[in-house]
Amino acid sequence: MADPLSEPNAPTGSSDAPPAFAKRSLAAQALGRVDSVTRGVVAPLHVATTFLRDPDNGYSSGFSYARPDNATVREAEAVLAMLEDAAAGALLFGSGMAAATAVFTALEPGDHVVAPRVMYWGLKRWLSAEMPRRRIAVDFVDMDDLAALARAIRPGTTKLVWIETPGNPLWTVTDIAEAARLAHAAGARLAVDSTAASPIHTRPLTLGADLVMHSATKILNGHSDVVAGVLAGATPDAFWERLAAIRSGGGAILGPFEAYLLMRSLRTLPLRVAAQSAGAAELARRFQGHPCVSHVLYPGLPDDPGHAVAARQMEGGFGFMLSIRVRDGEAAAIATAARVRLWKRATSLGGVESLIEHRASVEGPDSPCPPDLLRLSTGIEAVDDLFADLDAALRDA
Ligand SMILES: *Cc1c(COP(=O)(O)O)cnc(C)c1O
């Protein structure tokens, strides 16, 4: 398809020079694509599950059936690939877990994986349950300790290093470039769960990662009304082709309605991330030194253990997620979450509404999460309101 932003009707001039617009400009216009029938500035929603064959039995449109591919899904994938600088492109899945598990499903029996000790608990639980059945060994290490990662990697046998940065729910930071170097030296791929960073703050593929995964349910969609996941790849190699085959064969593609809503959200992603991250940074500063709070976990704080690495690999902010530890312990943390009025007591993250959650009671007894921890997902409400609401709940707990 011709690049619409090179057409004369595009925001600026020349049709021979490739456009060099900022990612924010490209996202705002969904890459400038217009509907070829009506010239509408919003792409149509493609819902067909099947497509007419040509008289010679071919499929000249490139579409034959909706399980392997969908034009609305492709629109959102193109924007995501642009945002992530993904030369191989992006693949949308029916959830973040479907995207993540596709990567592990592509491994072979006998392969070894290194994953974080503190990571999205649902994926850790899946790995612990499913990898042994496939005779794939997994070691969980503290990924903020690169020496521990280096020790865990088995050259030739380790095929995948999986990191998550900032890592849910302690927001520990992993050095992506260094993890890529260690993985590649041993013949392994590096995959990054970048859900909490978003492509606005971090582009792992530009730092040497091979794959990026997001739960698009979170800030990418940002309105708490779509479950989706995405993989973006650095290289269109055989492994990338296998991921596409796993999605297509396993029937894990995102539905067109969800892809349409996600596309609509991606247009405002840079604005939402900027506002939500600025709010989180302000709340982190205000809760530091609060009499009811023993620790604020946020890589944007200058004394956070992950700050130096985060400052190197994150641009324009440190994310919309933070956690606080309540000085009086678990019961006070649960009581605090019970008293808030503006914050919503709910799981998930990245939406425009702010959410608070006592993580340890969600994650259960094996959780590395301290029992006094409250996870905060900052939305777009007034920061003064968010602070006052949580401050009052902490003091009354
Ligand atoms: C939510 C989440 C996932 C799982 O994504 P779903 O869309 O819920 O399947 C994976 N990683 C992180 C960091 C998450 O927050």
Side-chain angles (χ1 to χ4, degrees):
M1 180 201 266
D3 184 341
L5 287 181
S6 305
E7 288 179 14
N9 199 17
T12 65
S14 146
S15 56
D16 20 52
F21 301 120
K23 291 186 186 300
R24 173 176 166 166
S25 305
L26 297 171
Q29 299 193 1
L31 297 170
R33 292 183 176 170
V34 291
D35 173 29
S36 55
V37 176
T38 65
R39 307 290 285 161
V41 298
V42 174
L45 172 50
H46 292 277
V47 296
T49 55
T50 191
F51 303 84
L52 264 192
R53 289 186 99 122
D54 304 329
D56 69 359
N57 224 25
Y59 284 110
S60 53
S61 74
F63 291 93
S64 59
Y65 186 56
R67 195 182 64 222
D69 206 351
N70 171 276
T72 301
V73 170
R74 278 196 196 177
E75 298 283 348
E77 287 173 342
V79 174
L80 287 161
M82 176 277 292
L83 289 170
E84 286 290 3
D85 286 316
L91 291 167
L92 276 167
F93 290 76
S95 69
M97 281 298 289
T101 58
V103 179
F104 296 96
T105 307
L107 299 174
E108 303 292 335
D111 287 354
H112 174 247
V113 171
V114 188
R117 194 177 66 84
V118 182
M119 66 185 293
Y120 176 67
W121 75 290
L123 182 55
K124 189 175 188 188
R125 199 177 51 171
W126 185 89
L127 291 172
S128 303
E130 297 296 329
M131 290 292 93
R133 292 166 170 262
R134 296 160 205 234
R135 286 183 285 113
I136 295 171
V138 187
D139 279 317
F140 295 99
V141 305
D142 284 317
M143 289 288 184
D144 51 346
D145 178 356
L146 290 167
L149 172 59
R151 279 195 303 277
I153 290 176
R154 305 179 196 161
T157 309
T158 303
K159 293 293 161 55
L160 181 68
V161 174
W162 181 275
I163 64 175
E164 179 182 323
T165 185
N168 187 12
L170 305 182
W171 317 115
T172 41
V173 176
T174 301
D175 187 327
I176 297 171
E178 205 48 33
R181 200 183 59 73
L182 291 171
H184 294 162
R189 286 186 172 76
L190 179 71
V192 182
D193 181 341
S194 194
T195 302
S198 92
I200 305 306
H201 290 322
T202 308
R203 277 164 294 123
L205 303 182
T206 67
L207 299 167
D210 302 284
L211 293 168
V212 182
M213 171 258 158
H214 292 274
S215 168
T217 313
K218 311 298 168 55
I219 194 116
L220 293 180
N221 184 64
H223 295 75
S224 306
D225 55 6
V226 166
V227 174
V230 66
L231 295 176
T235 320
D237 57 8
F239 193 79
W240 181 254
E241 290 306 316
R242 177 141 166 71
L243 295 173
I246 286 169
R247 183 186 75 168
S248 157
I253 196 171
L254 187 64
F257 289 92
E258 285 79 4
Y260 175 82
L261 284 171
L262 175 61
M263 182 66 260
R264 184 179 160 122
S265 290
L266 290 175
R267 291 172 176 249
T268 57
L269 178 70
L271 296 184
R272 288 184 287 107
V273 170
Q276 293 178 234
S277 292
E282 179 62 24
L283 290 173
R285 272 192 296 278
R286 290 204 204 173
F287 281 115
Q288 248 194 343
H290 189 286
C292 307
V293 173
S294 66
H295 301 78
V296 178
L297 309 179
Y298 185 65
L301 292 171
D303 55 357
D304 187 272
H307 182 70
V309 175
R312 275 207 303 279
Q313 70 186 23
M314 299 182 81
E315 290 170 31
F318 296 90
F320 47 92
M321 296 303 299
L322 69 153
S323 294
I324 58 174
R325 295 182 60 181
V326 177
R327 194 176 294 282
D328 286 344
E330 177 168 19
I334 293 172
T336 299
R339 299 181 100 93
V340 288
R341 291 161 61 229
L342 182 62
W343 291 82
K344 291 290 163 278
R345 201 167 38 255
T347 199
S348 199
L349 49 107
V352 292
E353 63 288 299
S354 293
L355 304 179
I356 186 167
E357 186 172 43
H358 180 251
R359 273 312 287 179
S361 54
V362 175
E363 300 192 10
D366 300 333
S367 168
C369 179
D372 55 8
L373 181 143
L374 291 172
R375 188 179 78 179
L376 306 177
S377 173
T378 314
I380 60 170
E381 305 90 339
V383 176
D384 285 345
D385 289 345
L386 292 172
F387 180 77
D389 187 42
L390 188 48
D391 173 55
L394 282 161
R395 288 174 194 274
D396 288 354

PDB file of all heavy atoms in Angstrom, residues 65-82:
ATOM      1  N   TYR A  65      -9.567 -15.968   4.965  1.00  0.00           N
ATOM      2  CA  TYR A  65     -10.353 -16.378   6.126  1.00  0.00           C
ATOM      3  C   TYR A  65      -9.872 -15.532   7.295  1.00  0.00           C
ATOM      4  O   TYR A  65      -8.721 -15.078   7.315  1.00  0.00           O
ATOM      5  CB  TYR A  65     -10.144 -17.880   6.380  1.00  0.00           C
ATOM      6  CG  TYR A  65     -11.008 -18.466   7.464  1.00  0.00           C
ATOM      7  CD1 TYR A  65     -12.397 -18.363   7.424  1.00  0.00           C
ATOM      8  CD2 TYR A  65     -10.431 -19.145   8.538  1.00  0.00           C
ATOM      9  CE1 TYR A  65     -13.185 -18.901   8.429  1.00  0.00           C
ATOM     10  CE2 TYR A  65     -11.213 -19.695   9.545  1.00  0.00           C
ATOM     11  CZ  TYR A  65     -12.594 -19.564   9.481  1.00  0.00           C
ATOM     12  OH  TYR A  65     -13.364 -20.113  10.478  1.00  0.00           O
ATOM     13  N   ALA A  66     -10.717 -15.278   8.270  1.00  0.00           N
ATOM     14  CA  ALA A  66     -10.411 -14.261   9.277  1.00  0.00           C
ATOM     15  C   ALA A  66      -9.566 -14.762  10.452  1.00  0.00           C
ATOM     16  O   ALA A  66      -9.132 -13.965  11.262  1.00  0.00           O
ATOM     17  CB  ALA A  66     -11.705 -13.651   9.819  1.00  0.00           C
ATOM     18  N   ARG A  67      -9.339 -16.071  10.558  1.00  0.00           N
ATOM     19  CA  ARG A  67      -8.541 -16.516  11.700  1.00  0.00           C
ATOM     20  C   ARG A  67      -7.064 -16.167  11.560  1.00  0.00           C
ATOM     21  O   ARG A  67      -6.435 -15.730  12.522  1.00  0.00           O
ATOM     22  CB  ARG A  67      -8.719 -18.011  11.960  1.00  0.00           C
ATOM     23  CG  ARG A  67      -8.189 -18.393  13.346  1.00  0.00           C
ATOM     24  CD  ARG A  67      -8.318 -19.871  13.604  1.00  0.00           C
ATOM     25  NE  ARG A  67      -7.488 -20.604  12.672  1.00  0.00           N
ATOM     26  CZ  ARG A  67      -7.832 -21.717  12.049  1.00  0.00           C
ATOM     27  NH1 ARG A  67      -9.004 -22.267  12.264  1.00  0.00           N
ATOM     28  NH2 ARG A  67      -7.008 -22.298  11.218  1.00  0.00           N
ATOM     29  N   PRO A  68      -6.462 -16.339  10.362  1.00  0.00           N
ATOM     30  CA  PRO A  68      -5.054 -15.941  10.266  1.00  0.00           C
ATOM     31  C   PRO A  68      -4.838 -14.436  10.188  1.00  0.00           C
ATOM     32  O   PRO A  68      -3.758 -13.956  10.549  1.00  0.00           O
ATOM     33  CB  PRO A  68      -4.572 -16.618   8.979  1.00  0.00           C
ATOM     34  CG  PRO A  68      -5.784 -17.019   8.232  1.00  0.00           C
ATOM     35  CD  PRO A  68      -6.916 -17.119   9.195  1.00  0.00           C
ATOM     36  N   ASP A  69      -5.807 -13.672   9.750  1.00  0.00           N
ATOM     37  CA  ASP A  69      -5.522 -12.282   9.395  1.00  0.00           C
ATOM     38  C   ASP A  69      -6.824 -11.484   9.340  1.00  0.00           C
ATOM     39  O   ASP A  69      -7.882 -12.025   9.054  1.00  0.00           O
ATOM     40  CB  ASP A  69      -4.883 -12.270   8.000  1.00  0.00           C
ATOM     41  CG  ASP A  69      -3.999 -11.056   7.783  1.00  0.00           C
ATOM     42  OD1 ASP A  69      -4.015 -10.154   8.617  1.00  0.00           O
ATOM     43  OD2 ASP A  69      -3.309 -11.035   6.749  1.00  0.00           O
ATOM     44  N   ASN A  70      -6.711 -10.180   9.596  1.00  0.00           N
ATOM     45  CA  ASN A  70      -7.883  -9.301   9.532  1.00  0.00           C
ATOM     46  C   ASN A  70      -7.390  -7.886   9.254  1.00  0.00           C
ATOM     47  O   ASN A  70      -6.400  -7.436   9.848  1.00  0.00           O
ATOM     48  CB  ASN A  70      -8.655  -9.365  10.863  1.00  0.00           C
ATOM     49  CG  ASN A  70      -9.757  -8.323  10.932  1.00  0.00           C
ATOM     50  OD1 ASN A  70      -9.520  -7.172  11.281  1.00  0.00           O
ATOM     51  ND2 ASN A  70     -10.955  -8.719  10.578  1.00  0.00           N
ATOM     52  N   ALA A  71      -8.075  -7.167   8.364  1.00  0.00           N
ATOM     53  CA  ALA A  71      -7.591  -5.846   7.932  1.00  0.00           C
ATOM     54  C   ALA A  71      -7.629  -4.816   9.058  1.00  0.00           C
ATOM     55  O   ALA A  71      -6.763  -3.940   9.128  1.00  0.00           O
ATOM     56  CB  ALA A  71      -8.415  -5.361   6.737  1.00  0.00           C
ATOM     57  N   THR A  72      -8.617  -4.887   9.951  1.00  0.00           N
ATOM     58  CA  THR A  72      -8.672  -3.936  11.071  1.00  0.00           C
ATOM     59  C   THR A  72      -7.550  -4.226  12.071  1.00  0.00           C
ATOM     60  O   THR A  72      -6.927  -3.302  12.603  1.00  0.00           O
ATOM     61  CB  THR A  72     -10.059  -4.004  11.748  1.00  0.00           C
ATOM     62  OG1 THR A  72     -11.050  -3.699  10.762  1.00  0.00           O
ATOM     63  CG2 THR A  72     -10.172  -3.030  12.901  1.00  0.00           C
ATOM     64  N   VAL A  73      -7.289  -5.512  12.287  1.00  0.00           N
ATOM     65  CA  VAL A  73      -6.174  -5.901  13.155  1.00  0.00           C
ATOM     66  C   VAL A  73      -4.864  -5.390  12.556  1.00  0.00           C
ATOM     67  O   VAL A  73      -4.003  -4.859  13.268  1.00  0.00           O
ATOM     68  CB  VAL A  73      -6.163  -7.443  13.332  1.00  0.00           C
ATOM     69  CG1 VAL A  73      -4.884  -7.906  14.017  1.00  0.00           C
ATOM     70  CG2 VAL A  73      -7.385  -7.886  14.133  1.00  0.00           C
ATOM     71  N   ARG A  74      -4.741  -5.501  11.237  1.00  0.00           N
ATOM     72  CA  ARG A  74      -3.510  -5.009  10.579  1.00  0.00           C
ATOM     73  C   ARG A  74      -3.296  -3.519  10.789  1.00  0.00           C
ATOM     74  O   ARG A  74      -2.161  -3.075  10.928  1.00  0.00           O
ATOM     75  CB  ARG A  74      -3.572  -5.271   9.069  1.00  0.00           C
ATOM     76  CG  ARG A  74      -3.182  -6.662   8.681  1.00  0.00           C
ATOM     77  CD  ARG A  74      -2.905  -6.663   7.190  1.00  0.00           C
ATOM     78  NE  ARG A  74      -2.884  -8.006   6.647  1.00  0.00           N
ATOM     79  CZ  ARG A  74      -2.715  -8.267   5.360  1.00  0.00           C
ATOM     80  NH1 ARG A  74      -2.594  -7.266   4.488  1.00  0.00           N
ATOM     81  NH2 ARG A  74      -2.688  -9.504   4.930  1.00  0.00           N
ATOM     82  N   GLU A  75      -4.392  -2.735  10.785  1.00  0.00           N
ATOM     83  CA  GLU A  75      -4.255  -1.278  10.988  1.00  0.00           C
ATOM     84  C   GLU A  75      -3.610  -1.000  12.342  1.00  0.00           C
ATOM     85  O   GLU A  75      -2.684  -0.193  12.451  1.00  0.00           O
ATOM     86  CB  GLU A  75      -5.627  -0.586  10.956  1.00  0.00           C
ATOM     87  CG  GLU A  75      -6.389  -0.696   9.660  1.00  0.00           C
ATOM     88  CD  GLU A  75      -5.873   0.243   8.580  1.00  0.00           C
ATOM     89  OE1 GLU A  75      -5.074   1.137   8.902  1.00  0.00           O
ATOM     90  OE2 GLU A  75      -6.265   0.053   7.415  1.00  0.00           O
ATOM     91  N   ALA A  76      -4.124  -1.652  13.373  1.00  0.00           N
ATOM     92  CA  ALA A  76      -3.573  -1.423  14.721  1.00  0.00           C
ATOM     93  C   ALA A  76      -2.152  -1.973  14.808  1.00  0.00           C
ATOM     94  O   ALA A  76      -1.284  -1.366  15.450  1.00  0.00           O
ATOM     95  CB  ALA A  76      -4.481  -2.065  15.768  1.00  0.00           C
ATOM     96  N   GLU A  77      -1.906  -3.109  14.153  1.00  0.00           N
ATOM     97  CA  GLU A  77      -0.547  -3.679  14.179  1.00  0.00           C
ATOM     98  C   GLU A  77       0.464  -2.733  13.529  1.00  0.00           C
ATOM     99  O   GLU A  77       1.601  -2.609  13.995  1.00  0.00           O
ATOM    100  CB  GLU A  77      -0.521  -5.035  13.471  1.00  0.00           C
ATOM    101  CG  GLU A  77      -1.195  -6.133  14.276  1.00  0.00           C
ATOM    102  CD  GLU A  77      -1.323  -7.449  13.523  1.00  0.00           C
ATOM    103  OE1 GLU A  77      -1.206  -7.461  12.275  1.00  0.00           O
ATOM    104  OE2 GLU A  77      -1.573  -8.475  14.184  1.00  0.00           O
ATOM    105  N   ALA A  78       0.052  -2.060  12.461  1.00  0.00           N
ATOM    106  CA  ALA A  78       0.980  -1.147  11.778  1.00  0.00           C
ATOM    107  C   ALA A  78       1.362   0.014  12.699  1.00  0.00           C
ATOM    108  O   ALA A  78       2.524   0.435  12.740  1.00  0.00           O
ATOM    109  CB  ALA A  78       0.346  -0.627  10.486  1.00  0.00           C
ATOM    110  N   VAL A  79       0.381   0.527  13.447  1.00  0.00           N
ATOM    111  CA  VAL A  79       0.687   1.625  14.378  1.00  0.00           C
ATOM    112  C   VAL A  79       1.595   1.128  15.502  1.00  0.00           C
ATOM    113  O   VAL A  79       2.563   1.795  15.885  1.00  0.00           O
ATOM    114  CB  VAL A  79      -0.613   2.250  14.926  1.00  0.00           C
ATOM    115  CG1 VAL A  79      -0.307   3.292  15.998  1.00  0.00           C
ATOM    116  CG2 VAL A  79      -1.407   2.880  13.781  1.00  0.00           C
ATOM    117  N   LEU A  80       1.307  -0.057  16.018  1.00  0.00           N
ATOM    118  CA  LEU A  80       2.138  -0.604  17.101  1.00  0.00           C
ATOM    119  C   LEU A  80       3.565  -0.865  16.620  1.00  0.00           C
ATOM    120  O   LEU A  80       4.532  -0.572  17.330  1.00  0.00           O
ATOM    121  CB  LEU A  80       1.508  -1.896  17.643  1.00  0.00           C
ATOM    122  CG  LEU A  80       0.251  -1.647  18.484  1.00  0.00           C
ATOM    123  CD1 LEU A  80      -0.579  -2.917  18.612  1.00  0.00           C
ATOM    124  CD2 LEU A  80       0.637  -1.135  19.873  1.00  0.00           C
ATOM    125  N   ALA A  81       3.709  -1.387  15.395  1.00  0.00           N
ATOM    126  CA  ALA A  81       5.050  -1.639  14.855  1.00  0.00           C
ATOM    127  C   ALA A  81       5.808  -0.327  14.688  1.00  0.00           C
ATOM    128  O   ALA A  81       7.004  -0.244  14.986  1.00  0.00           O
ATOM    129  CB  ALA A  81       4.947  -2.383  13.518  1.00  0.00           C
ATOM    130  N   MET A  82       5.101   0.719  14.247  1.00  0.00           N
ATOM    131  CA  MET A  82       5.732   2.041  14.134  1.00  0.00           C
ATOM    132  C   MET A  82       6.200   2.521  15.508  1.00  0.00           C
ATOM    133  O   MET A  82       7.334   2.973  15.681  1.00  0.00           O
ATOM    134  CB  MET A  82       4.719   3.005  13.510  1.00  0.00           C
ATOM    135  CG  MET A  82       5.160   4.452  13.386  1.00  0.00           C
ATOM    136  SD  MET A  82       4.941   5.436  14.874  1.00  0.00           S
ATOM    137  CE  MET A  82       3.134   5.526  14.979  1.00  0.00           C
TER     138      MET A  82
END
